[in-house]
Structures are given as C-alpha cells and as structure tokens.
Amino acid sequence: MSSIKTAIIIGAGPAGLTAAYEFIKHTNIKPIVLEMSEHNGGISRTINHNGNLIDIGGHRFFSKSDVVMDWWKEIMPIESKGNETIELTYHNKTKIIQTADETLKEEKNVFLVRNRLSRILFLKKLFFYPLKLNFDTLHKVGVVRSIKICFSYLIAVLFPIKKEKNLEDFFINRFGKELYYTFFKDYTEKVWGIPCKKIPVQWGKQRIKGLNITKIIVHFFSNKNSINQKNLETSLIEKFLYPKYGPGQLWDLVAKKVIENGGEIHYNSKVTQVKNINNNITEASITQKNGDIKSFKSNYFISSMPIKNLVNSFTKSLPIEIHEIANGLVYRDFITVGLLVEKMSFKKQKQLKDNWIYIQEKNVNIGRLQIFNNWSPYMVKDNSKIWLGLEYFCNEGDALWSKSENEFKEFAISELESIEMINSKEVLDSIVIKQKKAYPTYFGTYSRFEKLIDYFNSYENLFLIGRNGMHKYNNQDHSMLTAIQTVSNIKNGVLCKKNIWDINTEEEYYEKNDSVN
C-alpha cells in the first residue's frame, strides 16, 4: 500500500462529500468517493428537466450549528442587492454583518436569502404551518372545533400521558387530541404508511423535540429577522439560505473542490463487496455501469450507504442476529412529480407564495406540494409559468411505486385538480422521479438497533455517517456534522465513536467543533 493514507467514502451525498472536503482541508489523507449514481448530493441533488430545476424533497439551508453555517458560506457567499444588509447572529452575541456587494448581483454561485412560508391544506383551506393561534385560524376551523382544541390542550397539560408509548401519545401531550387529529395525524400517516400508534416515540423526539403550543404562541410575538435563529425549534424558522440554482449546485461545487485538490470521485460505481477481516475493513470492490469491476484498498472506510446494503456486501459472514437486524430495517421511498402549469387556480390565485404546502386532505395520496418559483426564481426557465413538485410517500413495489410514468403523471394531475390547485388543461410539461430509501424508519427491527451500533463500532477503521449510513432521520446539517466529527476523530486518533452517534440525539446539537478548526 502506498505511504499516502487514503479514505474510501461510500456515497457522494451531503455526508460523503462533506467528509471528503474535510479530509482535504484538515488532513493529508486522500479521499476516494464511490458513488452509485452519476449525481452529486444524494437526495439533495438538483435535476434539470427542460430547463426547469427540481429539488428532491425541498432543502432549506439553515442550522443551529455555527460550524455548518460557516461551512456553507465558505463554499458559496450570500447574495446581496442594492443597500441590503444581512445579519447572521452567532452564539447569541456576535453579529457578522455582510453588507451589499454589487459584484454578487449577477454571480451564479451564491446563496439567496429566502422567506419561509409553509401552510397546511385542510378542508380546502390553507392554515399557516407552524400553526398560528390567531383569529384567522380559529375562524377557518370553526367555533366548535376551536373550543375542542382549547379544551383538549388544557386536558393534555393537566393530565398528560405519563409514559409515551408511541408517536400519537407524543403529539397529544404537546398539542392536545383535537389539534393532533385535525392537523397532524393524516399527514404523518401518509408519510410513514402506518398508524401513528405504531410509530415509536423516538421519531417525535428527534424531529420535533420541544415544539408545543406554548412555543408557537411565544414565537408568534418574537423577532423573526435573524437567518440563523438558533434558539428556535426547527419548525419555527422564518428565513433560510438557498442556492441560486438549487441544492445540487452547492454539492457540485464541493465535488469540484475535492477533485481539484487531489481527491477522487468515481461515479456510476456501485459498491458490491466490502472485505472484512478480523474486525477491520481492508478493501471495497465496485461494479461500474459498463460492467467493469475495480477494487480499492484503504486505511479508512466511511459509509453513507444504507446499512442493509453494507451488511449484505461484507465478504465474511456476520453473526446471524446482525444480518437479521440489518435486513429487518425498514425504509420509506419517495416519488416527486414535476408539473409545469400556466397558473394555479386555488381560490382564483395564479400563484401562491408558499415554499411548500402540507396536504392534510384525506381523499388524495399527495403528501406535500412544492412551488419551486418560491424557493428560487432561477429554478424556473420561464417565470410567467408555475413549476410545481408533487411529493408522494410510498414503499418500493406498492401500488403507487408500480405505476408507469404516464399513469403516475395522469394520477398526480387528477389529484391536484381534485383539491382545486390546478386546471388539468393548463399542464404544459411533467416528469416523474423515484427515490429509493429516502427515509429510514424507526420500526421493523429498529428496536434492536443498538446491537448493530455496537457491532459496527468494533471495526476500528469503519465509520458510518449520514442519514442512511446511520439509519437515522437526519436533516442535511446533521448528516454533515456526522462527517465533520468523523474526520476530526480520525485526525486526532479518537477511537470511540460515541460523539458521532450522539449527533441529533440531544435537544441542542453541536454548536461548535473546535477540534477541526
């Protein structure tokens, strides 16, 4: 083996590319990235369809972590126009002020500052999300339901469920039974495909954490001008950064920097074998799109591929229980339908201002509707048209997944028309994009997942990172932090991996990481 140390990184998503860039910046270890597809960014990639850009899932760029915010700004500056002043508040004390820079007005590689607007469609009415307990909301839900909401929340406060057994208990304790049934139950069950009573409470603790009605009310009267807004719950963020041409733009830039600085990225390269000897990974083999097989030896192996796939690629047989747990992990798959329309038709409005809309209506399968014009006007080739993304949650092989592309296009158009968002005659173009294993779930064999963690931690030179690599429903910034901490551990000779697994388990995740600075 060469005297130059190398790190094999499986996957060119946010976690994998962050790890590669961190090796370049902070070590003499050469990163070699193996990516199954031809794209950078994983589900944070951007797809170009006839000049219109699609974000797979919608990715707001904000974080409570200063490390991540600084990391993003290092890759791309923030666009300023005219006399605009942008303030980013760090650590609640320091203010970094970026004043107007006319040179960035026509720059391609910049972040835009965007206002967040998310709403819920329920009974063909739009409600702000997070909910605003104001007259408009109470008027739309009606007097009877409003009274029920208030009383059920009071009951939840006075007589909470002492031992939360599932996600339904979690929601009821924080919002009351009536508000849960009105705004949370149906959408959540669309996403996961099973009743909330069967979803472990860990999902709520990780994704919603401390959010409740009290925080919603406090937030309604608070200052919302800071982009970073690090004291807010994630669901309450009002402003965010967004790459001018979608999230894939940023990850393409990161990939370019990795290659320019001596790293390697091999696309269309599926990892088919991982050689494991005496609790050490020695080699990874890939099968390329043209059928060629190549092998890579390395000092360190960092995986963001689904754990199920990793375990099944090991050349040496693992304990039966490890195979059982890994192969019993469940994933939720995802379909996005891009629709280009002349205009929208909801309440006779040509275009709504939402980034996305949660669809709580029971009579349709669509879970969320994105309006790409509002993420960035540069996502749309012709801004006189409306570019929509319809999001469906499903399981590979089920009725939704099995529809042909034309069948799914017609199905999606009819659903959007049935909830009075569009007129089917005004659809100009469409595309269907399927994404496997978009969401790792917390059911199946997940209750035994700790045994998998213990087993993988016994491999000194193997590190699991990212959403699928750790089977953890991370946000983009969490996935990046797992990569940053991994490189820090390797650089500093830290053998214990607990600080990697601890990311996104606390109420407040990493605010700073001085070990790699």
Side-chain angles (χ1 to χ4, degrees):
M1 188 180 296
S2 169
S3 60
I4 298 175
K5 288 187 175 182
T6 59
I8 293 297
I9 301 169
I10 303 175
L17 288 175
T18 298
Y21 190 58
E22 287 293 298
F23 277 121
I24 294 287
K25 285 171 58 182
H26 300 293
T27 76
N28 293 320
I29 298 169
K30 178 181 177 178
I32 301 172
V33 181
L34 308 177
E35 168 55 40
M36 182 171 64
S37 74
E38 59 185 341
H39 305 288
N40 297 307
I43 62 172
S44 295
R45 70 187 185 276
T46 301
I47 291 176
N48 187 324
H49 176 69
N50 295 332
N52 296 303
L53 304 178
I54 298 179
D55 181 351
I56 309 300
H59 293 84
R60 298 191 219 57
F61 285 70
F62 63 85
S63 180
K64 293 181 180 180
S65 166
D66 297 342
V67 171
V68 173
M69 293 296 291
D70 287 338
W71 204 98
W72 283 331
K73 283 183 63 185
E74 180 181 328
I75 304 299
M76 293 201 307
I78 302 171
E79 181 187 50
S80 300
K81 295 180 180 179
N83 295 319
E84 179 185 19
T85 296
I86 299 171
E87 294 187 1
L88 297 178
T89 303
Y90 283 19
H91 298 308
N92 299 325
K93 296 178 182 179
T94 307
K95 286 189 178 180
I96 297 178
I97 300 175
Q98 177 178 311
T99 54
D101 186 345
E102 294 293 329
T103 64
L104 295 178
K105 289 183 70 173
E106 303 301 325
E107 180 66 34
K108 175 183 177 182
N109 296 320
V110 292
F111 278 114
L112 305 180
V113 179
R114 309 302 291 167
N115 292 319
R116 168 182 170 158
L117 175 59
S118 302
R119 288 188 285 182
I120 300 169
L121 182 69
F122 176 64
L123 300 177
K124 296 184 178 179
K125 299 174 184 176
L126 287 173
F127 297 83
F128 285 103
Y129 181 80
L131 292 169
K132 295 184 178 181
L133 297 184
N134 54 18
F135 175 78
D136 179 69
T137 300
L138 298 178
H139 173 72
K140 286 178 179 177
V141 300
V143 175
V144 174
R145 186 176 272 120
S146 295
I147 293 172
K148 287 182 177 179
I149 287 172
C150 293
F151 273 103
S152 68
Y153 179 64
L154 184 62
I155 290 171
V157 171
L158 296 176
F159 307 102
I161 300 169
K162 291 184 178 180
K163 187 176 181 180
E164 295 173 348
K165 298 178 181 178
N166 51 53
L167 188 58
E168 182 166 293
D169 292 346
F170 178 91
F171 275 127
I172 290 173
N173 269 355
R174 284 151 186 80
F175 301 101
K177 187 174 290 187
E178 189 66 28
L179 199 61
Y180 158 67
Y181 279 113
T182 302
F183 288 114
F184 295 99
K185 185 176 187 293
D186 291 335
Y187 173 77
T188 304
E189 292 180 354
K190 277 185 188 181
V191 173
W192 299 109
I194 63 173
C196 288
K197 286 184 177 181
K198 294 185 178 181
I199 300 176
V201 71
Q202 287 96 326
W203 183 94
K205 289 180 178 179
Q206 189 173 18
R207 297 295 295 183
I208 301 176
K209 297 176 179 157
L211 184 64
N212 55 39
I213 286 183
T214 302
K215 289 193 176 181
I216 290 173
I217 295 171
V218 170
H219 169 69
F220 183 70
F221 295 101
S222 67
N223 177 17
K224 307 165 189 176
N225 292 324
S226 169
I227 296 171
N228 210 18
Q229 300 166 96
K230 61 192 296 177
N231 287 329
L232 295 179
E233 292 298 325
T234 300
S235 299
L236 299 178
I237 298 295
E238 296 278 347
K239 289 181 180 290
F240 60 93
L241 301 178
Y242 194 74
K244 194 171 186 175
Y245 294 97
Q249 178 187 12
L250 179 128
W251 296 113
D252 286 342
L253 283 174
V254 175
K256 182 180 178 183
K257 288 177 181 291
V258 169
I259 293 170
E260 288 175 345
N261 287 279
E264 296 180 17
I265 303 179
H266 298 264
Y267 298 100
N268 296 311
S269 300
K270 182 179 180 180
V271 174
T272 51
Q273 283 193 340
V274 175
K275 189 174 289 186
N276 55 313
I277 301 174
N278 298 326
N279 289 78
N280 199 52
I281 307 298
T282 61
E283 188 175 322
S285 297
I286 60 170
T287 300
Q288 297 181 310
K289 195 173 184 179
N290 61 8
D292 288 349
I293 296 174
K294 292 184 178 180
S295 295
F296 298 86
K297 293 184 178 181
S298 188
N299 304 90
Y300 307 100
F301 287 81
I302 299 170
S303 174
S304 66
M305 71 190 295
I307 286 179
K308 180 185 294 188
N309 296 1
L310 177 64
V311 163
N312 291 331
S313 69
F314 276 19
T315 55
K316 183 181 178 182
S317 60
L318 307 184
I320 294 175
E321 184 178 25
I322 297 301
H323 270 287
E324 287 179 351
I325 298 171
N327 286 291
L329 294 175
V330 179
Y331 301 82
R332 194 75 165 140
D333 306 297
F334 187 69
I335 299 174
T336 298
V337 181
L339 290 184
L340 185 68
V341 298
E342 284 283 356
K343 63 179 184 294
M344 300 186 74
S345 58
F346 184 79
K347 308 294 184 184
K348 298 182 179 180
Q349 296 182 61
K350 181 180 178 180
Q351 180 179 348
L352 300 173
K353 295 181 179 180
D354 306 72
N355 307 118
W356 64 42
I357 297 170
Y358 298 93
I359 309 298
Q360 181 76 354
E361 307 289 17
K362 293 184 177 181
N363 62 319
V364 291
N365 288 275
I366 178 175
R368 220 165 43 181
L369 175 66
Q370 291 200 61
I371 305 174
F372 293 116
N373 306 61
N374 300 330
W375 287 89
S376 167
Y378 301 95
M379 299 282 281
V380 190
K381 184 177 180 181
D382 179 355
N383 267 287
S384 69
K385 306 297 188 285
I386 309 300
W387 184 223
L388 304 172
L390 292 69
E391 299 180 348
Y392 290 86
F393 309 96
C394 56
N395 293 325
E396 186 180 353
D398 69 11
L400 283 177
W401 187 270
S402 300
K403 288 181 183 292
S404 70
E405 184 166 348
N406 286 332
E407 287 174 336
F408 211 106
K409 287 177 181 178
E410 293 177 6
F411 168 74
I413 291 169
S414 67
E415 285 215 322
L416 206 55
E417 188 172 47
S418 73
I419 55 177
E420 301 177 1
M421 283 289 175
I422 63 166
N423 183 331
S424 61
K425 296 178 180 179
E426 294 183 321
V427 176
L428 305 172
D429 195 6
S430 59
I431 183 175
V432 176
I433 301 164
K434 294 183 178 181
Q435 178 68 47
K436 297 179 182 179
K437 294 181 173 63
Y439 301 100
T441 73
Y442 292 164
F443 30 94
T445 54
Y446 186 79
S447 61
R448 298 155 65 193
F449 190 72
E450 287 292 329
K451 292 186 178 180
L452 274 184
I453 296 176
D454 291 341
Y455 178 77
F456 283 118
N457 283 349
S458 69
Y459 285 78
E460 187 175 312
N461 70 335
L462 174 64
F463 300 82
L464 306 187
I465 62 172
R467 178 181 282 194
N468 278 336
M470 305 175 80
H471 202 84
K472 185 184 290 189
Y473 191 13
N474 288 324
N475 284 329
Q476 183 175 217
D477 60 335
H478 298 131
S479 293
M480 292 174 64
L481 285 168
T482 64
I484 291 168
Q485 189 62 60
T486 292
V487 175
S488 173
N489 281 10
I490 291 172
K491 174 189 174 185
N492 296 307
V494 177
L495 298 180
C496 180
K497 298 166 187 171
K498 185 177 184 300
N499 56 3
I500 303 170
W501 286 98
D502 279 348
I503 292 171
N504 196 22
T505 59
E506 303 295 332
E507 290 284 323
E508 286 291 326
Y509 51 86
Y510 285 13
E511 301 299 338
K512 57 183 179 180
N513 184 337
D514 296 327
S515 60
V516 298
N517 291 336

